[in-house]
């Protein structure tokens, strides 16, 4: 596995791969890798001869300086996991390499980002769109792989690709969970033992909410029940619970036949912010 740290190095690498007729897959990450990330690398490897994983804790997508500072960084352990999963090149740039000058461009994804993560983390999707655009230009992949764990991010990135005519395909892969249902996340490393023990409640709340959606319980009631359940666990502070159209991400007041529903929640647990979601077919 090649290790690349400069934009020029990545561009040269991918140019050579394209000229050799190889298909290039890109897996953007912020590191502290787990099976959710490795699944993306494996999916890329199944479709592409070149798989580039990027590890970059992107400062512009953090709206909370403390969250950025405490974000887990384990570069040696990450590198050791990538090659066996099928990664052919690791791109691990510095902040100065990615941002040689402050960016001024602003993205506005309209209604897509006025809800959930966009509403609760101002500037977050601007930072995501900036870094993802840069990575797409540097790596010029045929396909880029993202996790459905970040459902809204997938929607935003698909909009970015469509609006800016990036010549690539976005592949969305399912959420990988621990045995007890907790969605894998780099931030899980920051949970202490009591918080980790309480954490599967997020998944249980989503499962119960999904069952209610299938029974036709009105969205407002599903939302209220989920928030009440989380509030009963003292370690949790609920930030939002959304019952939304899975495509438009807009909150629902009732269900439309044939339209999938996405249940998204964000909560704080022992100082760590966690998100999760579940899709209910229409
Ligand atoms: P991150 O390093 O958290 O920015 O995530 C990098 C990519 O991995 C994103 O596309 C995430 O959606 C995806 N990802 C993170 N956790 C999971 C998971 N548990 N299952 C599937 N994909 C995930």
């Amino acid at each position: 596995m090649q290790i690349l740290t400069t934009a020029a190095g990545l561009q040269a690498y991918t140019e050579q791969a394209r000229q050799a007729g190889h298909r290039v897959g890109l897996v953007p990450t912020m590191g502290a890798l787990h099976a959710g990330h490795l699944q993306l690398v494996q999916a890329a490897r199944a479709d592409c001869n070149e798989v580039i994983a990027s590890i970059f804790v992107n400062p512009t997508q953090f709206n909370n300086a403390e969250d950025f500072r405490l974000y887990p960084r384990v570069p040696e352990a990450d590198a050791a996991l990538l090659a066996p999963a099928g990664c052919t090149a690791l791109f691990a740039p510095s902040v100065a390499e990615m941002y040689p000058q402050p960016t001024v461009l602003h993205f506005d994804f309209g209604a897509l980002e006025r809800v959930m993560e966009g509403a609760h983390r101002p500037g977050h999707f601007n930072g995501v769109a900036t870094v993802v655009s840069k990575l797409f230009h540097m790596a010029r992949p045929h396909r880029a792989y993202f996790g459905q764990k970040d459902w809204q991010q997938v929607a935003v990135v698909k909009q970015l690709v469509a609006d800016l005519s990036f010549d690539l395909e976005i592949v969305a892969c399912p959420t990988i969970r621990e045995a007890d249902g907790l969605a894998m996340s780099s931030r899980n490393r920051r949970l202490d033992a009591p918080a980790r023990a309480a954490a599967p409640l997020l998944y249980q709340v989503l499962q119960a909410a999904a069952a209610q959606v299938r029974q036709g319980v009105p969205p407002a009631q599903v939302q209220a029940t989920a928030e009440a359940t989380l509030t009963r666990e003292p370690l949790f502070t609920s930030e939002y619970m959304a019952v939304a159209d899975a495509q438009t991400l807009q909150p629902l007041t009732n269900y439309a036949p044939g339209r999938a529903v996405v249940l998204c929640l964000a909560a704080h647990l022992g100082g760590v912010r966690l998100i999760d979601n579940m899709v209910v077919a229409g």
Side-chain angles (χ1 to χ4, degrees), residues 28-30 34 36-37 39-40 71 146-147 150 174-176 184:
T29 84
M30 297 203 298
H34 50 66
H37 297 112
Q39 164 211 213
L40 303 180
Y71 200 84
F146 291 84
D150 298 278
T175 301
I176 303 295
M184 291 193 183

Side-chain angles (χ1 to χ4, degrees), residues 11 27 44 48-49 54 67-68 71-72 93-94 118-119 133 135 155 195-196 203 212 236 238 251-252 262:
Q11 271 157 342
V27 180
C48 305
N49 352 45
S54 63
D67 189 24
F68 176 67
Y71 200 84
S94 65
S133 300
L135 290 170
R196 177 63 190 84
Y203 180 61
Q212 286 187 315
F236 271 107
S238 166
L252 295 175
V262 67

Side-chain angles (χ1 to χ4, degrees), residues 107-115 118 152 156 159 163 248 250:
F107 294 86
D108 182 347
F109 292 95
L112 262 191
E113 69 161 286
R114 307 263 185 273
V115 294
Q152 190 175 13
V156 163
Q159 186 74 47
D163 279 10
T248 67
Q250 299 313 296

